Amino acid sequence: MAFNDEFAGDLRQSEAPTGVIVNALRWDILNDWVRYLNDDAHPDKAAEMAYVWGFIKRDFGGDALRCLWGKHQTSYATFAEAVWLLHREFSEGAGAEHHPLFAGLPPIPAEVLFQKIASASVVAFRKLTEEQMVEILRKAPQDYAAMR
């Protein structure tokens, strides 16, 4: 028996629900962060190059990232909300309020989080450079907070 995906054949990535996108990215980032924290190859976890090679440059979330950047093109408010949620959970430490897997984990510095998302996004969404993506990601949480 084969899976029939015709019902979703015309669904554009920009139409994926924001909650689905955030959940997919949340677990990918959390998994990579825990793997990085437990990796003995980078003993100084706060060193810039340890962040780059131990965490930022690990590829993740291709489809979810395409959907996230699709939201950027079609609905900036929902894109900004998704980035704000990820920033709040990982960089501001609010994730422990929602799920015990976040408990006891150090926050991811915001700049490192944005670089991680942008680094993996360049492969998934080729319309922007990594530097452009980082700038957009830095601005999105403040934009969303202003919209609320």
Side-chain angles (χ1 to χ4, degrees):
M1 184 164 96
F3 179 72
N4 182 357
D5 63 352
E6 286 182 32
F7 70 94
D10 63 343
L11 184 66
R12 295 184 320 220
Q13 290 175 337
S14 62
E15 295 172 351
T18 303
V20 172
I21 297 168
V22 170
N23 280 333
L25 293 175
R26 175 186 295 128
W27 299 121
D28 281 346
I29 293 169
L30 183 62
N31 185 41
D32 280 358
W33 184 237
V34 169
R35 200 174 327 156
Y36 167 71
L37 292 173
N38 292 317
D39 186 359
D40 293 334
H42 305 284
D44 184 1
K45 301 297 183 201
E48 183 179 349
M49 291 315 291
Y51 280 134
V52 170
W53 296 113
F55 179 64
I56 293 171
K57 294 298 180 184
R58 284 190 178 162
D59 194 22
F60 77 102
D63 287 337
L65 291 168
R66 277 189 287 281
C67 291
L68 178 69
W69 290 100
K71 290 281 186 200
H72 176 261
Q73 291 186 310
T74 61
S75 175
Y76 182 76
T78 55
F79 167 83
E81 178 185 21
V83 175
W84 176 81
L85 285 167
L86 293 169
H87 174 264
R88 186 172 176 276
E89 289 178 354
F90 286 105
S91 299
E92 295 178 0
E97 297 170 10
H98 305 291
H99 202 284
L101 288 176
F102 284 90
L105 291 177
I108 301 172
E111 188 63 22
V112 172
L113 177 65
F114 299 148
Q115 288 177 12
K116 167 109 179 127
I117 295 169
S119 176
S121 295
V122 170
V123 176
F125 187 82
R126 298 176 186 258
K127 294 181 180 180
L128 298 168
T129 66
E130 187 172 339
E131 292 79 21
Q132 290 171 316
M133 289 179 179
V134 169
E135 286 301 316
I136 291 166
L137 291 164
R138 281 184 192 134
K139 191 174 176 292
Q142 292 127 9
D143 290 347
Y144 180 73
M147 289 181 222
R148 290 180 65 193

